[in-house]
Amino acid sequence: MLFMESYLCYCSVRLGVLIVAGLSITQSLALSILLFVRGIHIFDGLIDLLENDSQYKSTFIIRKFINGIHDSPDNILICLQVMCYSHIVIAILGIVGAIKLRKWLLLPLAVVEFIYFLNITISHIVLMIVLKKQINLGLLIILTLVGSFYCLFAGYNCITCVAMFQIITLVKSNKYRQLYGEDPFDPIPLRRSHGSNNGVQQLRMLGTPEDTDIDEQKRLAKLGLWPPRQPQIISVIPMQTPAVNLKWWQLQAMDKDDKLQDSAVYRNWQRDELLRGVGGDAERKNAINRRYADLQLYQWH
């Protein structure tokens, strides 16, 4: 089952992967340029914020991060630059995989986007916990909402890459090729019949459920072609109902509203008494007459 069939505003998943890769390249280039300009000092504000927090300043991971920046800033800078350009290379491979339909070239991009989603989510949670003691409530709510939407968008981009991997697996399968042809960019709307002469493939429409499998039914249902619709016949001549000659006892049986007042049988008996007592025969005969009258009217209509 596919994770998604469209990306954002009804874009294709293939276009969505190209957008995700483009955003990844832009972010990596921006971070690389910022590291070239300011170096390791871009973390000064974050370090001051963590150092002044009593809850996280003694945490092992936080202390290791701060000590690593102070002790070996050059190694941290080189590692970040390598990560940026590796992300760019992986994004380019993802673009090639989406264009050429090579699913294994998309897998590294999906993994990197998933790691980025986890990092950005954990960083957002920790940062909001730290900032709640230093900023007012209104600004904290705004930052929480904006950061949460960005985390959801990062996860959505990761799912887009996984969905494209699933789509490529689907269109490369033998069953898909038998139904829609060898070219996934130009699928044929008809099924091929391999029993023709001289190797010429004969196309035939899918008409009945017996010669249609479930995948083809789903595809035709999206196009509004399944189930096959019969042309609607609209009569322009007013329908004339012929007069039906019914007996008086049949007309009386069809009268459901006034039968309790007009019928002599029901005059002195209740309905439950008729079903149990002497009037039961009259009640059953009346039901038979009613069904007969309804059947006669249905046959004429």
Side-chain angles (χ1 to χ4, degrees):
M1 182 176 181
L2 299 179
F3 284 164
M4 63 175 64
E5 297 180 3
S6 61
Y7 178 80
L8 290 181
C9 301
Y10 298 100
C11 297
S12 63
V13 180
R14 184 165 172 257
L15 179 59
V17 172
L18 298 180
I19 294 175
V20 172
L23 291 176
S24 300
I25 293 174
T26 303
Q27 293 174 357
S28 299
L29 284 177
L31 180 59
S32 177
I33 294 173
L34 189 61
L35 290 173
F36 277 123
V37 173
R38 293 200 56 191
I40 207 67
H41 297 289
I42 62 173
F43 297 106
D44 291 343
L46 180 61
I47 291 175
D48 294 338
L49 189 64
L50 295 175
E51 287 284 1
N52 296 326
D53 187 78
S54 59
Q55 182 179 358
Y56 286 100
K57 68 178 182 180
S58 59
T59 306
F60 174 75
I61 298 177
I62 300 298
R63 296 312 312 174
K64 188 174 182 180
F65 170 72
I66 295 175
N67 294 332
I69 291 178
H70 288 312
D71 296 339
S72 55
D74 295 336
N75 294 334
I76 298 294
L77 185 63
I78 293 174
C79 181
L80 291 176
Q81 291 285 6
V82 171
M83 291 175 59
C84 288
Y85 287 100
S86 298
H87 197 182
I88 293 175
V89 173
I90 291 174
I92 294 174
L93 292 177
I95 293 175
V96 176
I99 294 176
K100 301 293 186 180
L101 297 184
R102 300 290 187 268
K103 64 179 182 179
W104 297 113
L105 296 180
L106 286 171
L107 191 59
L109 180 61
V111 173
V112 171
E113 291 295 327
F114 179 71
I115 295 174
Y116 177 74
F117 166 68
L118 291 180
N119 289 335
I120 201 68
T121 302
I122 295 173
S123 300
H124 173 67
I125 294 173
V126 173
L127 189 61
M128 291 301 103
I129 294 175
V130 174
L131 288 177
K132 71 178 182 180
K133 306 173 184 177
Q134 303 183 14
I135 60 177
N136 56 46
L137 181 60
L139 182 59
L140 179 65
I141 293 174
I142 293 175
L143 292 177
T144 302
L145 292 177
V146 173
S148 299
F149 279 114
Y150 183 75
C151 292
L152 291 176
F153 181 68
Y156 185 77
N157 291 338
C158 175
I159 295 177
T160 303
C161 299
V162 178
M164 189 62 195
F165 184 89
Q166 293 177 325
I167 291 174
I168 296 176
T169 304
L170 176 63
V171 299
K172 295 292 186 179
S173 62
N174 294 329
K175 187 175 182 180
Y176 184 91
R177 292 179 178 179
Q178 291 175 0
L179 291 174
Y180 304 104
E182 299 293 333
D183 189 5
F185 296 106
D186 188 18
I188 56 175
L190 303 174
R191 178 182 289 180
R192 292 177 178 175
S193 178
H194 298 283
S196 57
N197 298 327
N198 299 327
V200 178
Q201 292 179 343
Q202 180 183 1
L203 301 180
R204 60 186 180 91
M205 289 298 295
L206 299 173
T208 61
E210 288 76 13
D211 61 351
T212 307
D213 57 15
I214 188 63
D215 294 333
E216 185 68 13
Q217 291 180 15
K218 290 180 179 179
R219 187 182 69 85
L220 294 177
K222 292 181 179 180
L223 298 176
L225 302 177
W226 186 266
R229 294 180 175 87
Q230 298 295 333
Q232 184 179 3
I233 301 175
I234 301 176
S235 176
V236 295
I237 302 176
M239 183 178 62
Q240 298 179 356
T241 303
V244 182
N245 295 325
L246 297 177
K247 304 297 183 181
W248 65 269
W249 43 271
Q250 295 171 350
L251 294 174
Q252 183 180 4
M254 294 183 62
D255 189 2
K256 300 179 181 178
D257 296 329
D258 300 329
K259 66 176 183 290
L260 292 177
Q261 289 77 15
D262 298 337
S263 176
V265 178
Y266 299 143
R267 187 168 300 168
N268 299 321
W269 299 88
Q270 298 294 330
R271 184 178 181 84
D272 55 350
E273 294 175 338
L274 290 173
L275 292 176
R276 294 194 304 268
V278 296
D281 294 335
E283 174 68 18
R284 286 190 292 272
K285 291 178 180 179
N286 199 14
I288 293 173
N289 294 334
R290 188 184 304 112
R291 288 196 298 269
Y292 176 78
D294 293 338
L295 181 60
Q296 292 295 323
L297 286 178
Y298 176 77
Q299 289 178 354
W300 282 105
H301 285 286

